[in-house]
Amino acid sequence: MGLALLCLIWLITFASTYFFVAKTWWLPHGASALAQHIDGQFTLTFILMGIVFVLAQCTLGYLAWKYRDDGSARAVAYSHGNTKMEVLWTTLTAILFIGLNLMGSPIWAAERFDPPHAGAVPVEVTGMQFAWYFRYPGKDAKYGATKPSLIDPSSGMESAIGLDTADPAAKDDIVTGTMYLPVGREVDLTLRAVDVIHSFFVPSLRFKQDAVPGLLIHMHFTPTEVGDYEIACAELCGMGHYKMHGMVKVVSQEDFDKWTAQREAEKQ
Ligand SMILES: [Cu+2]
């Protein structure tokens, strides 16, 4: 029985480790400026945690076999444990966790605490049950006012986010259901939610941030490759959560200008 348990524990350990080493299910290709750093941090964390996991599971299997019931077992005696060992592994775990946090925090903070560069493209993202809307402030570079009383999700677009069309700053605001971004330019993002907490997640751009009702959350990132990237909501936000899907289209600056001009012309 002890041997069977050892084999089972080791089999589960090596089989599950294989899928990570072989990268069977891995991240999609990273297409933003910080993707390389985020992937580096992610890989380092997986390697360190993987080593700890394999060692711990191998030891567990070995001990399950070593202390098997072979007929000569003695009655167990109460043990208070080994204080030295407990202090040692708690300290090592703390160093590992705090160390990884300190290593990752500059990457995390760069998109949140540092202000965006001048010339960043402003885009407002609004999450609601169960759609994403994107707003561009237009030529005046100013977002028009929104009012909760004007919010009408069933009408979509401008009405869905509650845009106050009486506000002069709202006249040139563009609201869309697909996000367009120019490649190689920083995006100055403002995240909102109108009902519950949603999470704006673009795996290919290595971007994930909650959108919280009542808060304007600012972040910035730079897409580096032209392409279509999937947006998901990463916060379980209700019955339709599974279909809260969108697309980011990263295009050339020229195509972005053309698209913006078209949307502005449609508003006239
Ligand atoms: Cu959602």
Side-chain angles (χ1 to χ4, degrees):
M1 188 63 195
L3 189 65
L5 207 54
L6 169 124
C7 291
L8 183 69
I9 292 172
W10 284 16
L11 189 72
I12 293 172
T13 306
F14 293 124
S16 53
T17 306
Y18 165 80
F19 292 113
F20 288 98
V21 175
K23 296 190 174 182
T24 310
W25 299 285
W26 202 244
L27 305 165
H29 173 67
S32 70
L34 286 183
Q36 210 189 338
H37 301 282
I38 292 170
D39 289 5
Q41 177 77 25
F42 193 83
T43 307
L44 177 71
T45 306
F46 257 95
I47 290 173
L48 293 176
M49 293 305 161
I51 292 170
V52 174
F53 171 74
V54 171
L55 286 179
Q57 295 306 305
C58 284
T59 310
L60 178 70
Y62 169 70
L63 293 178
W65 168 76
K66 185 169 188 256
Y67 293 104
R68 67 193 179 282
D69 182 10
D70 58 1
S72 64
R74 282 169 286 125
V76 288
Y78 175 75
S79 161
H80 81 282
N82 187 324
T83 312
K84 265 189 205 153
M85 290 289 278
E86 282 171 24
V87 169
L88 181 73
W89 69 57
T90 307
T91 310
L92 287 177
T93 309
I95 291 172
L96 192 63
F97 273 82
I98 295 169
L100 284 171
N101 262 291
L102 289 176
M103 279 181 71
S105 59
I107 309 167
W108 191 85
E111 290 187 329
R112 289 165 172 86
F113 298 150
D114 299 345
H117 294 100
V121 185
V123 186
E124 182 198 72
V125 178
T126 305
M128 67 185 64
Q129 288 173 321
F130 298 96
W132 294 106
Y133 289 104
F134 309 98
R135 179 158 67 131
Y136 300 79
K139 286 198 183 69
D140 63 359
K142 253 176 84 181
Y143 291 114
T146 53
K147 285 185 181 166
S149 58
L150 297 172
I151 290 175
D152 177 12
S154 58
S155 301
M157 301 298 169
E158 292 184 1
S159 314
I161 67 163
L163 189 66
D164 181 3
T165 45
D167 179 8
K171 293 276 183 271
D172 60 353
D173 284 15
I174 303 169
V175 180
T176 68
T178 300
M179 190 184 203
Y180 277 76
L181 299 175
V183 70
R185 267 181 78 187
E186 196 168 42
V187 187
D188 178 9
L189 216 61
T190 307
L191 284 151
R192 300 166 72 220
V194 303
D195 35 38
V196 297
I197 299 174
H198 300 277
S199 181
F200 185 67
F201 182 31
V202 193
S204 294
L205 301 181
R206 300 293 188 270
F207 187 90
K208 187 194 249 178
Q209 171 63 47
D210 277 7
V212 184
L215 292 182
L216 293 178
I217 297 173
H218 290 274
M219 282 192 66
H220 48 95
F221 67 94
T222 309
T224 51
E225 286 174 40
V226 169
D228 293 355
Y229 306 110
E230 200 172 12
I231 305 167
C233 178
E235 195 78 59
L236 186 56
C237 57
M239 291 291 279
H241 165 69
Y242 70 96
K243 62 178 179 184
M244 194 165 164
H245 165 267
M247 289 303 286
V248 184
K249 284 182 177 290
V250 178
V251 296
S252 65
Q253 181 68 48
E254 196 189 357
D255 287 348
F256 180 72
D257 293 340
K258 232 188 270 174
W259 175 81
T260 314
Q262 269 170 13
R263 296 288 88 73
E264 290 290 358
E266 281 169 15
K267 283 208 70 165
Q268 303 311 313

